[in-house]
Amino acid sequence: MPSLSAKLTRLGAVLLLLLATVGTTLAQAPPPPPYPAVPTPQVEAPPPPPPGPPGVWVWRPGYWRWNGVQYIWIRGRYVHPARPGAVWQPAHWALRGGAWVWVPGHWR
């Protein structure tokens, strides 16, 4: 029967593999050039916000996301701000170190 140390080493290796897989899933890359340009954002008229006092809901606009084959439109939606006065930074593609990386939307 394997020792506790061997089991922990094996568990650590499995966790590292899992984290590496999650990381590569989150860091999407567009297909190699030539790939289609990101379409112009769709115009969305936000529906009335859900009930609540002012500042409880913020409209997060929609965006185009690459699914590995084509761009798909992710519709906008209302979200709760991370903290009072927070501003939503939309998701976008950015060129970093010579490679395109997906930068998820986040609060500032």
Side-chain angles (χ1 to χ4, degrees):
M1 183 162 154
S3 69
L4 179 59
S5 176
K7 287 180 182 179
L8 290 175
T9 301
R10 211 174 305 142
L11 177 61
V14 169
L15 288 175
L16 282 175
L17 180 61
L18 178 61
L19 287 174
T21 303
V22 169
T24 56
T25 302
L26 294 177
Q28 297 182 12
Y35 52 87
V38 178
T40 303
Q42 294 184 12
V43 177
E44 291 182 305
V56 170
W57 295 101
V58 173
W59 177 253
R60 189 203 72 194
Y63 59 94
W64 289 103
R65 181 171 184 168
W66 183 256
N67 71 1
V69 177
Q70 64 185 8
Y71 287 102
I72 57 170
W73 180 251
I74 305 299
R75 292 177 31 192
R77 63 186 177 107
Y78 282 98
V79 295
H80 290 286
R83 62 192 171 286
V87 176
W88 180 254
Q89 299 296 309
H92 61 279
W93 290 100
L95 186 59
R96 294 189 179 160
W100 286 99
V101 296
W102 176 249
V103 180
H106 57 278
W107 292 101
R108 278 197 166 195

